[in-house]
Amino acid sequence: RFGAEVNPITAMLKSMKRAMAAEYSRDLANKCRAGQHQVISRGYQIGPLPPLGYRRCSVSAEGQRRVMLDRGQRKVAATDRIEWVLAPKGEGELVKRICALYARSRLSFTDIARLGSVEGWRDHQGRLLSGRSIATLVRNEALIGNFVWGRKKHAKSIVSCGPSRRDGCIPRLVDDDIWARMQRRTALEVSKKQTDDELVANLRKALQR
């Protein structure tokens, strides 16, 4: 604290303190991000909960699996890590069916969700599967064994870096052929979406007609 007095020396000290605080925050953020990358590079979870078809498992510091965790449960010890393992067989088969329907048919995410509503498909939290949740599922690289974290950029982030990933650290549910088909279809659907300018132009043409 510099008090209420205002003079050139006080203003200079304030600027120096602010610059030092900003530099300390950047240095701390870089160290935290490096630690997160290290955890992910070893195949352990950071951030999101696993998608449909997977569960969390507490792993000891020695690499021994302890127990599968339900929603809301924490790891057994502070030194444990979390890795993703396969869910019960029925849930895994449901994921494979959803992926096959999307890859090999013309059903949309909404159509598949409607089929799931009729048949009573639910996720591991007991919720009915929606079109949005299915769209998120078929884009998740965990289905082919890869853990990826840090794709979304936060506006207030002071660290500039790309996503961290570890390939082949998760038991896969989908083969390469189904995965490639799904990604080609999602890419095609994204390319067909109109931009705001294109939408406005088409509406003007329709209004003129």
Side-chain angles (χ1 to χ4, degrees), residues 135-147:
T136 302
L137 174 67
V138 302
R139 295 184 177 96
N140 196 324
E141 285 193 44
L143 299 179
I144 55 171
N146 304 334
F147 189 92

Side-chain angles (χ1 to χ4, degrees), residues 14-76:
K14 283 183 178 179
S15 298
M16 290 177 59
K17 287 287 188 179
R18 287 169 181 162
M20 291 170 62
E23 184 61 28
Y24 174 78
S25 295
R26 280 192 293 270
D27 184 55
L28 186 61
N30 282 317
K31 289 180 179 178
C32 290
R33 186 64 182 85
Q36 293 167 344
H37 178 78
Q38 180 66 21
V39 172
I40 294 166
S41 67
R42 295 172 60 189
Y44 297 126
Q45 172 197 332
I46 281 184
L49 293 174
L52 186 70
Y54 293 93
R55 292 289 188 276
R56 296 178 303 139
C57 181
S58 184
V59 181
S60 69
E62 293 76 26
Q64 299 297 320
R65 291 181 179 176
R66 294 181 188 266
V67 64
M68 289 180 61
L69 304 175
D70 291 329
R71 178 174 175 81
Q73 281 188 314
R74 298 188 177 185
K75 55 189 180 181
V76 177

Side-chain angles (χ1 to χ4, degrees), residues 94-105 174 178 182:
L94 174 59
V95 172
K96 292 178 182 179
R97 184 182 176 196
I98 291 172
C99 293
L101 284 171
Y102 183 70
R104 293 173 174 166
S105 73
V174 174
I178 293 293
M182 291 194 300

Side-chain angles (χ1 to χ4, degrees), residues 99-108 112 181 185:
C99 293
L101 284 171
Y102 183 70
R104 293 173 174 166
S105 73
R106 295 185 178 181
L107 294 176
S108 66
I112 297 174
R181 287 170 180 251
R185 185 175 175 188

